[in-house]
Amino acid sequence: MKDEIIISDWFGAGENRPDPHKSIRMEAKAALPRRFYKEAGVAATPTGFVLTLDGRPARTPARSPLETPAQAATQAVADEWAAQGDVIDPASMPFTKLVNTALDGVARQREAVVDEIARYAGSDLLCYRAGDPARLVERESAHWDPVLAWARDELGARFVLAEGVMFASQPDASLEAVREAVAAVVSPLALAGLSTITSLTGSVLLALAVARGRLTPEQAWTAAHVDEDFQMELWGYDDEALERRARRWREMDAAARLVAMVG
């Protein structure tokens, strides 16, 4: 193993679904390790492109090669490693964490991850609407109705809307259509990205719309925060909430870029 580098356990062993909030809490508790390498790079392999640290191939915490099929994706990982200072801060490396999760977790539990993502369709954010005020109702409709129309036309999935917190059961055919769309994402790396987008937005429909190019990541992020933004406009902005959102956006952006690179 002397010619390889195992990425230490501060990144975690990879879970079957990324949890950006948990990773941030874990990082806050752990002392940051010192940088132990001078250069980060990318090397071609027979099956893709692997991260190298001082010329040695790197492995994930579960000892999978830290490799992707897309040079751009591995380069994004290498860029995060190259940007580290005297210490290694996992909070500044969302792409690396996501790739670790895909290789160590998602690739080994694919069906469970597909099921978990698809379950969001049963209570998707876009189906639960405010009854008032009118400005919020209009804003939700403007951002969410086009996505529901796209899901109907593109996926064959029609959804029932509900007001407030009243639960609305969705048609079995629609739930199955969404699961088929999620299962069609073959790459474990893209599936990990889709999972992250789904969990961060609360909407598998927004995630699929990003993955299929119907929405940009920025448009999906805005749609996911319609209600929160409206409340902040009414009651004022919360600096801590905005800081948390900024951290979550970095996770979202990394996930969307990974899906675009390998999907």
Side-chain angles (χ1 to χ4, degrees):
M1 300 293 288
K2 66 179 180 179
D3 293 328
E4 296 178 322
I5 293 179
I6 306 298
I7 301 305
S8 300
D9 288 340
W10 62 81
F11 278 102
E15 303 173 65
N16 56 339
R17 181 172 63 83
D19 185 345
H21 311 294
K22 180 178 179 181
S23 65
I24 290 168
R25 292 194 300 269
M26 297 273 296
E27 288 149 20
K29 296 178 182 178
L32 297 179
R34 296 194 64 79
R35 178 168 175 160
F36 57 87
Y37 57 93
K38 291 182 179 179
E39 295 183 351
V42 175
T45 72
T47 53
F49 301 87
V50 68
L51 169 70
T52 61
L53 300 174
D54 291 338
R56 292 184 291 170
R59 288 182 176 267
T60 68
R63 290 173 167 73
S64 303
L66 211 167
E67 175 183 307
T68 82
Q71 185 173 3
T74 305
Q75 185 63 56
V77 173
D79 289 345
E80 289 185 340
W81 286 87
Q84 299 303 298
D86 292 336
V87 297
I88 299 171
D89 182 5
S92 68
M93 306 173 79
F95 215 94
T96 299
K97 289 188 292 183
L98 187 55
V99 171
N100 281 343
T101 296
L103 299 176
D104 287 350
V106 175
R108 303 176 186 190
Q109 303 181 57
R110 174 182 168 76
E111 289 304 308
V113 176
V114 169
D115 287 342
E116 186 170 358
I117 298 171
R119 273 198 294 271
Y120 275 79
S123 55
D124 199 275
L125 169 73
L126 307 192
C127 297
Y128 291 87
R129 304 299 181 93
D132 56 63
R135 283 193 300 138
L136 177 56
V137 173
E138 291 170 1
R139 194 174 300 182
E140 287 178 346
S141 294
H143 285 280
W144 297 354
D145 288 356
V147 181
L148 290 171
W150 170 83
R152 179 195 65 217
D153 298 339
E154 179 77 12
L155 307 179
R158 295 176 179 270
F159 287 88
V160 177
L161 305 187
E163 187 174 305
V165 296
M166 292 293 294
F167 179 73
S169 295
Q170 301 299 337
D172 290 342
S174 297
L175 300 180
E176 182 57 30
V178 169
R179 192 191 186 285
E180 289 178 1
V182 173
V185 178
V186 176
S187 166
L189 293 158
L191 195 61
L194 189 72
S195 176
T196 292
I197 298 170
T198 301
S199 63
L200 287 172
T201 62
S203 172
V204 65
L205 300 181
L206 288 177
L208 287 169
V210 170
R212 296 198 177 195
R214 172 59 180 79
L215 294 178
T216 66
E218 292 81 3
Q219 288 171 329
W221 193 245
T222 298
H225 292 85
V226 166
D227 291 1
E228 184 177 318
D229 286 341
F230 185 82
Q231 293 302 321
M232 285 190 179
E233 290 171 15
L234 285 180
W235 306 108
Y237 291 87
D238 183 309
D239 290 339
E240 289 186 7
L242 291 175
E243 183 179 345
R244 285 194 299 272
R245 189 192 292 191
R247 290 197 299 265
R248 294 169 67 215
W249 164 251
R250 289 192 288 272
E251 302 278 351
M252 171 83 170
D253 180 58
R257 287 191 292 127
L258 183 60
V259 170
M261 289 171 181
V262 301

